[in-house]
Amino acid sequence: MVKPWYKQFWPWFLIALPMTVVIGTLYTVFLFSQNSVSLVAEDYYKKGKGINVDISKVNIAKENNLNAEVFADSNVITIAFDKGELAHFPALSATFTHRTLANRDFSQLITADAKGNYRLTLESAIEGPWFVELEPHNKEWLVQGRVTFPTEFATPLMNY
């Protein structure tokens, strides 16, 4: 006497193989929907146009001989700013942008001490690659560069 198909082993085994792929695919889709990465900008055209503005600001900084170096000591970041042809040390807007983790980006207004050093004290030390931008309040010029934290030596932000 022959058993019906649903009581045999092989049909269920053959059905189980594609079902594991379907379940794995659904789980993978769920994981990616919960942990999205924001590497591509939604407004890429506007950001591309903004690059040209940034280049003109960088050129103004070069004309004024502006330069900066970044030091990091645990959670204290020191920026040694060379004011070049400026009359005084301006208040700077320092923007720190992480390469891949947009939720860790931060910006802070900092002022100089008598030697032209700007200090920024953070709640905890930062690590990894960061893009640093320094601008005055009127956003007339821009000094920028990449820094990998922690850093033992001074990292120049703008090389000439």
Side-chain angles (χ1 to χ4, degrees):
M1 191 167 272
V2 178
K3 295 182 192 177
W5 72 270
Y6 54 88
K7 290 186 176 181
Q8 295 184 17
F9 169 75
W10 289 109
W12 290 111
F13 177 76
L14 294 175
I15 291 172
L17 290 176
M19 285 305 291
T20 57
V21 172
V22 169
I23 291 170
T25 302
L26 292 175
Y27 181 69
T28 303
V29 168
F30 172 75
L31 281 179
F32 281 119
S33 68
Q34 298 299 316
N35 303 310
S36 64
V37 178
S38 60
L39 292 178
V40 179
E42 295 289 330
D43 56 347
Y44 64 91
Y45 182 72
K46 288 180 184 177
K47 287 193 180 279
K49 287 173 60 178
I51 289 172
N52 293 335
V53 173
D54 288 348
I55 290 172
S56 66
K57 289 180 182 181
V58 169
N59 290 336
I60 292 171
K62 286 181 182 179
E63 290 170 5
N64 289 322
N65 297 321
L66 303 178
N67 199 357
E69 293 181 335
V70 177
F71 305 89
D73 183 22
S74 68
N75 64 333
V76 177
I77 298 173
T78 304
I79 300 170
F81 185 71
D82 180 7
K83 66 181 176 92
E85 298 175 13
L86 297 178
H88 56 83
F89 290 103
L92 296 177
S93 173
T95 304
F96 289 76
T97 308
H98 194 274
R99 185 180 298 169
T100 57
L101 303 172
N103 60 341
R104 297 179 76 193
D105 298 351
F106 64 95
S107 182
Q108 188 166 345
L109 184 66
I110 51 177
T111 57
D113 61 11
K115 295 180 181 178
N117 293 325
Y118 295 80
R119 284 186 179 72
L120 179 66
T121 304
L122 305 174
E123 293 177 7
S124 62
I126 60 175
E127 294 182 359
W130 290 81
F131 189 73
V132 180
E133 294 179 331
L134 303 174
E135 288 184 297
H137 63 70
N138 62 3
K139 301 192 184 302
E140 184 177 306
W141 47 263
L142 174 69
V143 176
Q144 62 185 0
R146 288 184 175 82
V147 181
T148 301
F149 293 103
T151 178
E152 294 179 16
F153 305 104
T155 303
L157 290 186
M158 186 177 286
N159 294 327
Y160 298 109

